[in-house]
Amino acid sequence: RNFAGSQRNRWTCDTDTSLPTDIMEKKIKIPRSFKLLEEYDYAVGKENKTKITGQHKGLINYGLMDYTRESKDPLGSWRGIIIGIQGKQSGELLYNFEVTIPNNYPDTPPIVRIKGPKMDMPAIDSRGYVNLSRLPGFSWAPDKWIADVLMEIRKNMNNPNCLRTSTQRAREGNYF
């Protein structure tokens, strides 16, 4: 398409100031299924890409639950493991978790439940559900990923009181 004179300069994307303010302020809302399919690609390491970074790389593994024909939402249920902090007692343990994706994801955060071993962490209730608002320094936003939540949980496992109690309870056979 050809744009003449000021019309062309008004709509090009060469600089941020070339677009009208009302267009620059709008964010594109990515559909739930698109975001979850992209997350799946990262979770399985498609093209060697991952959202698990830094000290957590290789220590968090997750993906979709097995799909059956009866599944009403094939992208809505995930599971995986978090390996505890290395060099700490929890580094000996594999923490199993499940993630449920609400229908209005990514506007609403995923629901994470630690299945076992039991973990005493302020953000985790007695049934294993993670209250994301109780993870220090973490705030959910639609541009975040399931991987961001999992890395934040693992990062908060570094609390010495949490880890000592978790390990002791796991050895006693206390699971969610």
Side-chain angles (χ1 to χ4, degrees):
R1 223 173 172 177
N2 284 332
F3 292 100
S6 64
Q7 276 287 354
R8 181 180 176 143
N9 291 337
R10 181 175 176 206
W11 295 104
T12 60
C13 295
D14 295 336
T15 63
D16 290 339
T17 58
S18 66
L19 292 173
T21 306
D22 61 327
I23 292 175
M24 291 188 328
E25 291 176 1
K26 291 183 182 178
K27 290 186 177 184
I28 297 172
K29 183 175 179 175
I30 298 173
R32 175 183 186 266
S33 59
F34 287 22
K35 179 147 179 152
L36 289 171
L37 286 170
E38 187 173 6
E39 178 92 38
Y40 176 75
D41 287 346
Y42 284 117
V44 298
K46 184 177 180 180
E47 299 175 3
N48 292 324
K49 295 180 182 176
T50 182
K51 289 286 182 185
I52 305 295
T53 60
Q55 65 182 354
H56 310 291
K57 195 168 188 172
L59 300 171
I60 298 173
N61 189 344
Y62 68 110
L64 288 169
M65 283 197 182
D66 295 333
Y67 173 75
T68 63
R69 290 183 181 199
E70 293 80 34
S71 298
K72 293 181 181 177
D73 185 7
L75 298 173
S77 298
W78 298 62
R79 67 176 165 200
I81 59 166
I82 297 174
I83 298 174
I85 304 295
Q86 300 301 288
K88 305 275 185 175
Q89 291 176 340
S90 71
E92 302 172 11
L93 301 174
L94 301 176
Y95 294 89
N96 297 295
F97 64 86
E98 291 181 355
V99 179
T100 304
I101 308 298
N103 289 333
N104 51 352
Y105 176 86
D107 293 328
T108 302
I111 300 163
V112 180
R113 183 175 186 207
I114 306 296
K115 300 291 287 180
K118 189 167 186 173
M119 188 184 316
D120 281 340
M121 193 188 258
I124 301 175
D125 71 17
S126 62
R127 297 174 302 148
Y129 287 98
V130 180
N131 181 341
L132 300 182
S133 66
R134 296 196 67 194
L135 289 172
F138 183 78
S139 177
W140 177 259
D143 63 339
K144 298 221 176 185
W145 301 85
I146 298 168
D148 293 318
V149 173
L150 302 176
M151 288 187 296
E152 196 64 32
I153 292 168
R154 187 170 184 278
K155 177 178 143 191
N156 279 274
M157 292 169 83
N158 210 13
N159 176 335
N161 294 329
C162 164
L163 297 180
R164 187 182 68 249
T165 304
S166 298
T167 305
Q168 288 171 347
R169 288 191 176 190
R171 287 185 179 144
E172 296 165 2
N174 294 326
Y175 297 90
F176 288 113

